[in-house]
Amino acid sequence: MEGSIYRYMKVGIVHFKAFPETAYGTGPILETLRRIAEDDFFTAVEVGWMRDVKVRLEAAHMLKVSHLEVCYATQPAMFSQKLNLNSLDPQERKKAIKQVFNCLKEALDLGATAVRIPAGKDPGPEKREEAKKLLVDSLAQICEYAREMGDPLITLKIFDRDIDKESLIGPFRDALDIARQLKPQYPKFGLLADLSHFPLLREKPEEALPLVKDYLMAFHIGNCVMKDRRHPLYGDLQPRFGVEDGEIDVAEVAGYFRLLVDMGLVGPEKRPVLSAEVRPLLPGETSELILANAKRVIREAWALA
């Protein structure tokens, strides 16, 4: 691809994946976040739960000084507590919405311009349409509250339906149904497409992305293992690029970059955040090696796109 990647997108990393010891909102958050903030390869970072308000405010200052674009992911808080925004149980859904409200407050503290949100579990075909209606209602409440909390972008992340996360959203056609209902009233609502989830959904980017083109606001790249259920990294575990038996390496990332450019989804006029979501999983893998792996793959893929 001709020209700098930074003309087309803000290149990010998911902090709590690169440093999984911080995934539950505790641990060496400031020390590890500083390693990203001091690395000028990245122009964006996606952070998660930070339970200690003092840590959160110190992190906010660090991020402001570093000039990083900040996105906030609710997944650590939602997944660790098994919260479900489309639960058929009203009390469970209320609890999930309340947690996202708290996450929006944290995101405001951190200066986040976008907040990532996952749908809950898929209840099965008989209850699926009811669950989608409940998800739309939950997201509408969240979008309303977000307007009071700095008015960040609200992006629904698309996960697998039947392999690992077993999420309601889910296939891109279902994501389209949700976005169509919310976007007219909430212009800052959109979708996040993750390269590592296409194999898990058995969908192809070149076929799925055009369906939701008008609603895509953010992107992830990552890897997965899905052909062999006996593989220790099977499912949505975000292993490094190029891991043995994995689905995603330089060629796939390059193809994704080319597709996003050709579709006009990234470019000088938009420059959305595109983040790598990878983590150390195997013996001998460290956060530093995983970060270096991701940076090399991004550079090479962009050069080959």
Side-chain angles (χ1 to χ4, degrees), residues 1 5 8-10 172 191-195 198 205-206 208-210 212-213 216-221 252-275 302 305:
M1 189 73 65
I5 191 172
Y8 290 79
M9 64 187 76
K10 296 167 185 175
F172 275 71
L191 303 173
L192 185 155
D194 188 327
L195 178 60
F198 288 97
E206 62 271 21
L209 291 185
V212 295
K213 178 182 177 181
L216 288 167
M217 299 172 70
F219 306 91
H220 278 176
I221 54 173
E252 290 74 25
V253 177
Y256 198 51
F257 285 161
R258 169 54 66 184
L259 180 61
L260 295 180
V261 171
D262 288 348
M263 291 181 63
L265 294 169
V266 299
E269 299 79 19
K270 291 187 176 181
R271 296 184 66 236
V273 172
L274 182 146
S275 296
W302 185 254

Side-chain angles (χ1 to χ4, degrees), residues 17-184:
K17 293 297 182 180
F19 298 94
E21 62 269 35
T22 67
Y24 296 105
T26 58
I29 291 173
L30 295 174
E31 300 92 321
T32 55
L33 190 58
R34 183 174 296 278
R35 295 187 217 175
I36 294 171
E38 291 177 347
D39 185 344
D40 66 0
F41 177 85
F42 299 108
T43 52
V45 65
E46 304 204 14
V47 298
W49 211 3
M50 297 186 193
R51 300 194 197 195
D52 188 320
V53 66
K54 291 175 65 177
V55 169
R56 191 160 66 244
L57 294 179
E58 190 169 342
H61 178 69
M62 182 195 308
L63 292 167
K64 183 177 181 179
V65 171
S66 70
H67 210 280
L68 280 165
E69 178 105 4
V70 181
C71 304
Y72 183 99
T74 65
Q75 294 95 289
M78 299 297 281
F79 289 159
S80 65
Q81 299 177 88
K82 299 182 179 180
L83 299 175
N84 185 343
L85 288 170
N86 45 265
S87 175
L88 302 177
D89 181 329
Q91 291 306 312
E92 288 299 313
R93 188 164 73 96
K94 184 177 179 180
K95 185 178 177 182
I97 294 170
K98 183 178 179 181
Q99 178 61 68
V100 177
F101 284 0
N102 289 335
C103 287
L104 285 166
K105 293 175 184 176
E106 288 195 19
L108 179 63
D109 288 345
L110 290 160
T113 59
V115 174
R116 316 304 193 201
I117 298 175
K121 292 284 186 182
D122 175 47
E126 292 184 358
K127 297 288 186 178
R128 190 168 293 148
E129 290 306 311
E130 181 182 354
K132 285 164 66 175
K133 291 177 182 177
L134 292 171
L135 178 62
V136 169
D137 181 77
S138 296
L139 290 171
Q141 293 183 53
I142 289 164
C143 288
E144 287 287 349
Y145 191 73
R147 287 173 170 170
E148 303 173 22
M149 293 291 122
D151 201 22
L153 301 177
I154 300 296
T155 52
L156 177 65
K157 186 172 179 182
I158 299 168
F159 284 93
D160 70 272
R161 167 67 61 78
D162 61 5
I163 289 182
D164 192 314
K165 296 299 188 293
E166 300 176 340
S167 178
L168 176 65
I169 311 296
F172 275 71
R173 289 193 180 278
D174 287 315
L176 177 61
D177 289 344
I178 302 300
R180 277 177 170 165
Q181 295 179 67
L182 288 164
K183 188 73 169 180

Side-chain angles (χ1 to χ4, degrees), residues 228-293:
D228 185 356
R229 289 181 178 272
R230 299 168 298 176
H231 196 289
L233 301 183
Y234 177 80
D236 184 23
L237 294 181
Q238 303 94 31
R240 62 179 167 82
F241 295 108
V243 75
E244 187 176 359
D245 297 320
E247 298 291 326
I248 309 294
D249 204 347
V250 173
E252 290 74 25
V253 177
Y256 198 51
F257 285 161
R258 169 54 66 184
L259 180 61
L260 295 180
V261 171
D262 288 348
M263 291 181 63
L265 294 169
V266 299
E269 299 79 19
K270 291 187 176 181
R271 296 184 66 236
V273 172
L274 182 146
S275 296
E277 187 175 19
V278 284
R279 58 174 167 165
L281 288 165
L282 297 174
E285 294 184 352
T286 64
S287 294
E288 288 73 21
L289 284 172
I290 295 303
L291 288 170
N293 170 299

